[in-house]
Amino acid sequence: MLTKRIIPCLDVDAGRVVKGVSFIDIRDAGDPAALASFYDKEGADELVFLDITASSDDRNIMINVVKQVSEQVFIPLTVGGGMRSVADVKRMLDAGADKVSLNTAAVLNPELVVESSEHFGSQAIVVAIDAKRVTVEDASTAPKSSDQSLGLDESSRWQVYIHGGRTPMGIDAVKWAIRVAELGAGELLVTSMDTDGHLTGYDLDILKAISEGVTIPVIASGGAGEPEHLRQAVETGKVDAVLAASIFHFGTYSVKDVKDYMASHGLPMRPTD
Amino acid sequence: MSEPRITIVDYEAGNVRSVQKAFQKVGGQASITSDPDEVIRADALVVPGQGACDSSMSHMREKGLVEPIKEFIASGKPFFGVCLGLQLLMKDSEEGDEPCLGVLQGRTRRLPPGQKIPHMGWNQVDFHIRHPVFDTIPDGSHFYFVHSYYADPDDKSVVACTTDYGVDFCSGAVWENVVAVQFHPEKSGALGLKIYKNFIEDIKS
């Protein structure tokens, strides 16, 4: 049976992994390759590297990071952050990434999703969606979507944000998810900004709404604090994979802990060694 | 044979470098080429690939690689196909109108509806033929898959392993000098690397 994937996410700033990773008993806990190997051995099914480098001058560093990691770790690697063109995507895939994750660039230029999936295959193109629950004020303050068919309406429950969650776009997140799947995305990474960082669980409603709206795999992101949250994302949110950061980086739970828990609840998991 | 030259065919269908890196990781000398002459001269040939059958076949044709690959397979030297490298061995594909390599009678078919497509992630592989390449790989092991189509050979005696995804499909075929798998050993962690290591050992013996 196809297993549900557990995906640790690492934030990389100018070539160094940031966030609390000090628990890990390796010589250099900021070294992306060392951490990738660590999670691989722990039984991670895939890895996501998010390039949060602010300076565009330092963007090339990520290329080298990906080269190094892909020589040592032989599980799928997705890289997101800062890619705006087919050429950017190509450079990252050539460096050794298996998939790239497009977020802001996909919203501002949906044609990028079409072109990249035609060039490299849908399997290589993940579209990341940052979404937030629509509030009463949004009805008057949200910007008008340039594409009316995607705009917020009375039934909209979540709005798409870009620029790392700073800019609301007036776009309905579920409509956007369905659209990018049509444009050629091979997978969706859905982050709820309402739950992200709170460790209180994923927003199961948006996961379910999007997962049932598309036929491509959906990855849940934002809010995992304990193994039960990951189980809920799969069982209630209907997702195919779960991404988590803090829960693993702080050493609260290992990948094996999470997999054992989910397997004990009858979910198909790839066993850890 | 001491150090066999493993030649990986690049025909603009997906990431060939990850396959090369995996072979290098387990001590293999692997080079990438799209030169028809190098294909013929290889000690062992690896055809990886992801993407659509039609465009891949036309890239292969443009580069003059179709006949050399068929000739290589006919020569009896070790051949390893990965993903599209299995599907393209069939006569044709439901995915497109172009004929495939036609090394094996059969069709490449679309996975049945009712489940997420592509079939993406780790799924179990049940082995029916214990080729040396699958040495020490436990039955039911998980490997990484990414595909929407699968090879369906007419001759079921070549089906080396199967995987269940709405249909119990052929996730690996083996006959004579040919081994081809639907999953990605280069993305399947330690067990995947073991398969490539086994392939190298098998060539040497």
Side-chain angles (χ1 to χ4, degrees):
Chain A
M1 193 187 279
L2 181 65
T3 60
K4 299 297 177 182
R5 289 168 282 153
I6 305 296
I7 308 175
C9 176
L10 302 166
D11 287 356
V12 180
D13 186 2
R16 304 284 297 167
V17 178
V18 294
K19 271 193 184 170
V21 285
S22 52
F23 77 96
I24 293 171
D25 187 21
I26 49 179
R27 201 178 303 151
D28 181 359
D31 174 16
L35 270 164
S37 292
F38 171 84
Y39 282 123
D40 174 22
K41 290 193 181 76
E42 266 209 323
D45 295 314
E46 284 189 41
L47 292 171
V48 169
F49 276 26
L50 203 54
D51 185 9
I52 56 164
T53 309
S55 153
S56 56
D57 296 346
D58 290 337
R59 289 241 175 254
N60 284 330
I61 298 172
M62 198 61 188
I63 298 287
N64 289 321
V65 165
V66 171
K67 278 185 184 157
Q68 282 174 16
V69 170
S70 63
E71 276 163 15
Q72 297 174 43
V73 178
F74 293 89
I75 57 175
L77 174 65
T78 301
V79 181
M83 282 166 276
R84 289 183 182 86
S85 65
V86 171
D88 290 343
V89 171
K90 183 173 185 341
R91 282 200 318 153
M92 204 53 89
L93 295 176
D94 283 347
D98 299 290
K99 314 177 200 181
V100 297
S101 164
L102 304 172
N103 190 338
T104 298
V107 176
L108 297 179
N109 175 23
E111 194 59 26
L112 178 61
V113 178
V114 178
E115 285 174 21
S116 343
S117 60
E118 277 173 1
H119 267 79
F120 311 108
S122 287
Q123 85 290 334
I125 309 302
V126 181
V127 170
I129 301 174
D130 290 344
K132 199 171 177 177
R133 280 184 187 265
V134 171
T135 60
V136 180
E137 298 85 71
D138 284 340
S140 51
T141 60
K144 280 267 177 288
S145 166
S146 54
D147 182 337
Q148 256 185 352
S149 65
L150 294 173
L152 295 174
D153 57 38
E154 314 77 55
S155 67
S156 296
R157 299 179 63 194
W158 300 275
Q159 180 179 195
V160 172
Y161 282 65
I162 61 168
H163 298 133
R166 291 191 301 276
T167 313
M169 293 304 289
I171 293 173
D172 179 307
V174 179
K175 289 182 193 168
W176 173 236
I178 293 166
R179 173 67 56 84
V180 290
E182 290 165 358
L183 294 178
E187 203 170 16
L188 300 176
L189 169 58
V190 179
T191 304
S192 158
M193 294 165 53
D194 299 296
T195 56
D196 196 23
H198 291 283
L199 311 183
T200 51
Y202 299 90
D203 181 336
L204 302 174
D205 296 333
I206 188 173
L207 297 178
K208 186 162 186 281
I210 289 181
S211 200
E212 289 181 343
V214 298
T215 58
I216 56 175
V218 174
I219 308 169
S221 160
E226 53 187 86
E228 171 63 10
H229 296 148
L230 287 87
R231 186 193 71 81
Q232 289 167 351
V234 170
E235 293 222 326
T236 311
K238 307 286 180 205
V239 297
D240 306 279
V242 225
L243 179 131
S246 313
I247 182 173
F248 297 132
H249 301 332
F250 296 128
T252 327
Y253 298 95
S254 67
V255 174
K256 184 178 188 311
D257 292 338
V258 169
K259 284 190 159 183
D260 287 350
Y261 178 85
M262 292 172 78
S264 75
H265 283 77
L267 294 173
M269 291 281 129
R270 177 174 73 111
T272 53
D273 296 327
Chain B
M1 199 185 292
S2 55
E3 273 310 316
R5 280 171 306 141
I6 297 166
T7 302
I8 302 166
V9 186
D10 181 7
Y11 55 106
E12 290 175 39
N15 212 328
V16 291
R17 262 172 241 190
S18 57
V19 176
Q20 181 188 33
K21 285 173 183 171
F23 272 109
Q24 286 168 343
K25 178 77 177 175
V26 294
Q29 289 194 359
S31 57
I32 294 173
T33 190
S34 44
D35 177 352
D37 291 334
E38 282 188 42
V39 166
I40 297 285
R41 285 202 304 268
D43 295 328
L45 195 68
V46 178
V47 174
Q50 275 181 348
C53 284
D54 260 12
S55 63
S56 305
M57 280 308 300
S58 58
H59 284 311
M60 221 181 237
R61 209 160 277 128
E62 279 161 26
K63 293 177 188 293
L65 288 166
V66 172
E67 289 311 317
I69 290 172
K70 288 165 91 162
E71 201 177 309
F72 180 91
I73 293 175
S75 76
K77 290 188 279 186
F79 176 92
F80 198 111
V82 180
C83 193
L84 205 52
L86 164 61
Q87 297 177 12
L88 292 180
L89 297 176
M90 299 296 114
K91 197 161 166 289
D92 56 14
S93 171
E94 289 180 1
E95 191 175 9
D97 306 320
E98 298 249 355
C100 299
L101 290 170
V103 178
L104 197 58
Q105 290 300 313
R107 286 206 95 181
T108 287
R109 299 183 190 282
R110 187 163 172 86
L111 286 164
Q115 315 216 45
K116 294 279 177 90
I117 305 276
H119 173 217
M120 183 184 281
W122 299 78
N123 204 336
Q124 284 180 291
V125 173
D126 292 315
F127 293 94
H128 311 297
I129 301 175
R130 274 294 167 183
H131 189 278
V133 160
F134 304 130
D135 210 20
T136 73
I137 308 289
D139 222 20
S141 293
H142 291 80
F143 288 91
Y144 191 80
F145 289 84
V146 187
H147 64 121
S148 305
Y149 291 80
Y150 66 97
D152 185 15
D154 292 346
D155 177 4
K156 302 302 175 203
S157 75
V158 302
V159 176
C161 50
T162 51
T163 295
D164 179 27
Y165 194 66
V167 57
D168 211 23
F169 70 87
C170 166
S171 50
V174 162
W175 75 94
E176 294 168 16
N177 55 318
V178 174
V179 177
V181 295
Q182 179 58 61
F183 53 85
H184 292 268
E186 71 281 2
K187 289 294 149 195
S188 296
L191 283 178
L193 291 176
K194 180 65 182 158
I195 286 184
Y196 284 158
K197 189 156 177 54
N198 286 344
F199 180 64
I200 295 171
E201 296 300 321
D202 191 42
I203 305 168
K204 285 186 188 170
S205 65

